[in-house]
Amino acid sequence: MMSSIIRVKRDGRSDLLIEGEQLANVTDLEFLNSVPSGEWWELSLIRSKTGQYVLSSVQHIGSGGGTVRHAAFLFPSMQSARQLLSYNTGRQARLAKTLLERAGLHSRREKMIG
């Protein structure tokens, strides 16, 4: 694994500094024909040198540089990250599925079915 220091922003808390690698990222903009006037999301999945997984979530609200919200979620294992991301529904389901595919974290069963 190529390891580097990755900074993950979090609103109301200090940034996380993670030694590891970014496995994948995805944004709503990839699936839209134009920049939305409402909210849109960016998700990144990082694997730390110690084997933990971090989901970085950036929510953009409003056009023209409106509000930006940052959050990070820590998972102790690949299975726990995959499980939570697999439960997403609605608009975030496409982002979560794409993120898992890009990171290579789909289970064999999911690959066979979908």
Side-chain angles (χ1 to χ4, degrees):
M1 166 169 80
M2 283 262 325
S3 190
S4 61
I5 302 297
I6 302 166
R7 180 180 301 271
V8 177
K9 291 185 176 193
R10 303 182 296 171
D11 290 347
R13 301 178 76 185
S14 57
D15 293 352
L16 288 176
L17 295 176
I18 302 160
E19 184 175 357
E21 69 175 320
Q22 182 170 313
L23 299 176
N25 60 35
V26 64
T27 173
D28 273 332
L29 299 179
E30 295 176 42
F31 305 106
L32 301 172
N33 293 328
S34 62
V35 176
S37 58
E39 71 178 14
W40 58 279
W41 296 80
E42 296 176 66
L43 299 177
S44 296
L45 190 62
I46 300 157
R47 180 175 48 215
S48 75
K49 184 178 175 183
T50 61
Q52 295 178 317
Y53 290 78
V54 177
L55 174 66
S56 170
S57 171
V58 181
Q59 179 186 23
H60 299 265
I61 303 169
S63 60
T67 304
V68 178
R69 294 184 180 152
H70 298 88
F73 305 91
L74 178 65
F75 303 99
S77 68
M78 173 185 63
Q79 292 83 1
S80 59
R82 182 176 50 226
Q83 183 177 17
L84 180 86
L85 286 167
S86 296
Y87 286 127
N88 277 287
T89 59
R91 200 166 118 210
Q92 275 70 39
R94 176 189 277 179
L95 288 176
K97 180 181 178 192
T98 302
L99 188 69
L100 287 170
E101 288 171 352
R102 289 180 182 174
L105 296 183
H106 266 263
S107 71
R108 289 184 188 144
R109 178 176 164 83
E110 289 166 327
K111 282 183 181 176
M112 289 171 36
I113 293 172

